[in-house]
Amino acid sequence: MPQNEFHQQTMGQQAHRLSWAEPYKIKVVELLSLTTRAERQRAIKKAGHNTFLLESADVYIDLLTDSGTSAMSDRQWAGMMRGDEAYAGSRNFRHLEKAVRGVYGYQHVLPTHQGRGAEHLLSQTLIKPGDYIPGNMYFTTTRFHQERAGGTFVDVIIDEAHDPKSEHPFKGNVDIKKLSNLIQKVGSEKIPYVSIAGTVNMAGGQPISMGNMKEVRALCNKYGIPIYLDATRMVENAYFIKTREEGYAKLSIAEIVRAFCSHTDGACMSGKKDSLVNIGGWLAVNCKELYDEVSNLGVAYEGLHTYGGLAGRDMEAMAIGIRESIHYKHIRARVGQVEYLGNLLREWGIPIVLPVGGHGVFLDAKAIYTHIPQEQFPAQALAADLYAESGVRTMERGIVSAGRDAQTGNEKYPELELVRLTIPRRVYTQAHMDVVAESVMSVYEKRENATGLRMVYEPKFLRFFRARFERLM
Ligand code: F0G
């Protein structure tokens, strides 16, 4: 058969194929450790029922986070060998700068050690005590830096985002009314910027639509308020725009990312997610004066403006990862795998946040452990039980993560009390997802016997990372 005919036939077949398959094959493997139930019970007790405090050697399938846990490609590893470890003006920085400009479209790029480094610089530069920062739901480190700079975060996400059962396709959308009410109430001069995340992690990896982003831009333009994006999972967000929002099906992921970012003034980025690296981030802005200011601070906290806490090799891996992340086949398989797990759990009747998000499946702990009141940390207990059952490590995203009110010190009681099964990129197989679903099922079947927890150590900041608990009997 002539080659082009063969090509046409195979391409034709692909067009009709519905299943996603990983657009890569495996070159290196890492062996997993299997422990006994008794070992796991000891391990989780020693860890104070906090999955962040487990040793990774005691974990079988690690769904703690998708942050820094991706498998790099052979191209990225090859790039690591081409690290230019000069203190200043590394060529890898130029590659990174070019990739960020080319894909996200921002002009001035400052590398940072990871996402929260960028959040720190932006918050310290733009926020004054007494300011308000509206956003489409909080993220832990983002809000922490906003509050540390003297600001108050205000949640202006649509109500549907707080309802695990709502199947709104864009639960990350801003409620324009909530935003405009806030502007009326506090005045635009008290709002240094609007903080937009694509996708919204704490809502379950839910996307914001392009249409909504344009509306936010129009409103902000009216009052001269800038918009800064948390671009950490913007590529996943773009996939949802392409597949769910009318008018975007024919655009490439790259075109959608670029168009979305064009409605914002800059972005904080954790490269550890979308960009397929184990470490790295950046802050990028269009305003030269702001770039000069954040760079001044960056030199003190992160490193010189051409490395920002990263080795040259890290910047190279991130530059390559940015380009790999926007390939349609990659992102389809990535989100496809998350959907596969979510659909299994859904079919089995296990309460999860709907629709299934971009980077993980979120169990609705309130609906699973209905008998455990929120002050006894049902999601924290469920994550600990899931680990003890199967060695699958997940994390709490509920009252422990929400923390205390910065002003009053009172507990916040978030609507969402979730356990996040976060899927690292290019790391686990479909069979692993089956095992995970079966593990969740066995915990679900025993749900009536579960008991809550009591917090016995509470760190001052971002408590979920290091808090310790005891089991209530
Ligand atoms: N923004 C979002 C939406 C994030 O999910 C994260 C990190 C950050 C900012 C901060 O980036 O970790 O590089 O400093 N999320 C991780 C997670 C920790 O597990 O969801 P970082």
Side-chain angles (χ1 to χ4, degrees):
M1 186 190 298
Q3 218 194 339
N4 56 354
E5 204 180 314
F6 171 79
H7 183 69
Q8 273 169 8
Q9 279 194 11
T10 48
M11 289 313 282
Q13 276 165 16
Q14 272 179 6
H16 296 294
R17 204 187 287 154
L18 288 176
S19 74
W20 52 271
E22 292 81 355
Y24 53 82
K25 57 183 178 175
I26 296 164
K27 201 189 295 252
V28 176
V29 298
E30 178 182 336
L31 301 185
L32 295 173
S33 54
L34 281 164
T35 48
T36 64
R37 183 184 295 266
E39 284 168 337
R40 291 192 295 273
Q41 280 166 342
R42 269 199 302 279
I44 193 70
K45 199 167 169 202
K46 191 166 161 229
H49 301 278
N50 185 347
T51 51
F52 276 103
L53 302 178
L54 288 166
E55 296 297 321
S56 105
D58 294 331
V59 173
Y60 171 38
I61 296 175
D62 203 348
L63 307 186
L64 182 72
T65 177
D66 62 330
S67 181
T69 51
S70 297
M72 292 208 293
S73 67
D74 52 355
R75 280 187 253 167
Q76 286 176 292
W77 279 108
M80 297 282 280
M81 290 304 293
R82 306 202 63 202
D84 169 9
E85 306 306 342
Y87 189 89
S90 158
R91 72 169 168 265
N92 309 121
F93 167 68
R94 295 297 166 204
H95 296 165
L96 174 64
E97 182 182 56
K98 201 168 162 207
V100 174
R101 282 183 180 159
V103 171
Y104 296 90
Y106 303 116
Q107 274 318 296
H108 307 288
V109 183
L110 183 68
T112 58
H113 76 283
Q114 59 184 81
R116 67 198 74 177
E119 292 168 350
H120 173 224
L121 301 180
L122 187 72
S123 301
Q124 286 297 328
T125 308
L126 292 182
I127 301 171
K128 294 184 304 306
D131 281 349
Y132 294 86
I133 306 92
N136 54 347
M137 203 176 267
Y138 83 101
F139 182 70
T140 54
T141 59
T142 318
R143 188 182 64 191
F144 171 80
H145 283 297
Q146 292 165 353
E147 288 176 348
R148 193 127 171 97
T152 302
F153 170 81
V154 183
D155 187 4
V156 294
I157 204 164
I158 56 171
D159 288 341
E160 285 88 338
H162 294 280
D163 174 8
K165 291 191 194 67
S166 159
E167 295 208 42
H168 192 294
F170 290 101
K171 283 166 95 172
N173 279 358
V174 169
D175 184 327
I176 298 295
K177 203 146 184 206
K178 285 186 194 168
L179 179 57
S180 86
N181 286 350
L182 179 77
I183 301 172
Q184 300 303 327
K185 194 170 140 210
V186 304
S188 58
E189 65 288 352
K190 285 266 179 223
I191 302 180
Y193 63 97
V194 173
S195 175
I196 294 294
T199 58
V200 180
N201 190 353
M202 302 301 281
Q206 304 294 333
I208 160 171
S209 72
M210 188 78 81
N212 185 249
M213 184 65 238
K214 287 184 190 169
E215 282 183 83
V216 174
R217 179 83 259 183
L219 181 66
C220 287
N221 279 353
K222 220 165 104 187
Y223 295 95
I225 303 172
I227 301 171
Y228 288 95
L229 176 69
D230 181 341
T232 296
R233 298 184 184 83
M234 189 58 226
V235 178
E236 287 167 10
N237 199 111
Y239 176 79
F240 288 121
I241 291 176
K242 183 175 170 75
T243 52
R244 292 183 188 167
E245 190 166 353
E246 221 186 301
Y248 292 94
K250 291 218 164 70
L251 265 63
S252 69
I253 297 293
E255 285 165 334
I256 297 171
V257 169
R258 193 60 192 265
F260 194 97
C261 293
S262 76
H263 301 300
T264 69
D265 299 284
C268 291
M269 178 70 181
S270 170
K272 300 170 74 174
K273 283 82 164 175
D274 268 354
S275 307
L276 301 158
V277 286
N278 304 121
I279 194 71
W282 45 262
L283 170 59
V285 297
N286 288 332
C287 167
K288 174 74 169 67
E289 290 73 37
L290 178 59
Y291 167 76
D292 286 337
E293 275 200 61
V294 291
S295 308
N296 282 335
L297 209 57
V299 171
Y301 282 99
E302 299 283 320
L304 194 71
H305 61 290
T306 58
Y307 77 83
L310 297 173
R313 54 180 173 271
D314 297 328
M315 292 190 281
E316 188 65 27
M318 187 153 57
I320 297 168
I322 288 171
R323 304 227 184 255
E324 287 182 4
S325 74
I326 52 173
H327 284 200
Y328 177 69
K329 279 185 190 154
H330 159 74
I331 197 66
R332 180 179 180 224
R334 191 284 184 279
V335 178
Q337 188 179 40
V338 177
E339 274 175 353
Y340 173 81
L341 175 63
N343 289 341
L344 267 186
L345 294 174
R346 190 178 186 180
E347 280 163 27
W348 296 352
I350 294 165
I352 59 169
V353 174
L354 296 172
V356 177
H359 66 302
V361 177
F362 291 65
L363 305 177
D364 184 356
K366 263 191 196 169
I368 296 174
Y369 284 173
T370 48
H371 58 295
I372 302 181
Q374 202 169 13
E375 52 274 16
Q376 293 178 11
F377 313 110
Q380 187 79 26
L382 181 57
D385 292 342
L386 187 57
Y387 169 75
E389 176 69 28
S390 60
V392 173
R393 169 156 70 171
T394 58
M395 79 150 91
E396 192 261 13
R397 290 271 89 147
I399 185 164
V400 184
S401 295
R404 291 178 183 274
D405 186 288
Q407 256 97 54
T408 65
N410 293 337
E411 286 279 355
K412 290 184 175 142
Y413 287 87
E415 292 286 324
L416 299 177
E417 180 69 24
L418 311 174
V419 169
R420 187 180 73 173
L421 298 104
T422 343
I423 316 299
R425 297 163 186 79
R426 309 194 289 207
V427 170
Y428 292 112
T429 64
Q430 196 157 334
H432 286 123
M433 295 302 112
D434 291 340
V435 172
V436 169
E438 288 158 12
S439 309
V440 173
M441 193 61 193
S442 20
V443 173
Y444 185 66
E445 280 169 351
K446 294 185 229 166
R447 63 193 178 281
E448 274 147 34
N449 305 328
T451 59
L453 300 168
R454 182 162 61 94
M455 201 187 299
V456 292
Y457 169 62
E458 180 176 0
K460 195 162 151 207
F461 301 133
L462 299 170
R463 65 183 186 180
F464 58 96
F465 282 128
R466 296 184 309 113
R468 298 185 67 84
F469 302 83
E470 272 171 14
R471 187 63 76 167
L472 294 166
M473 285 303 152

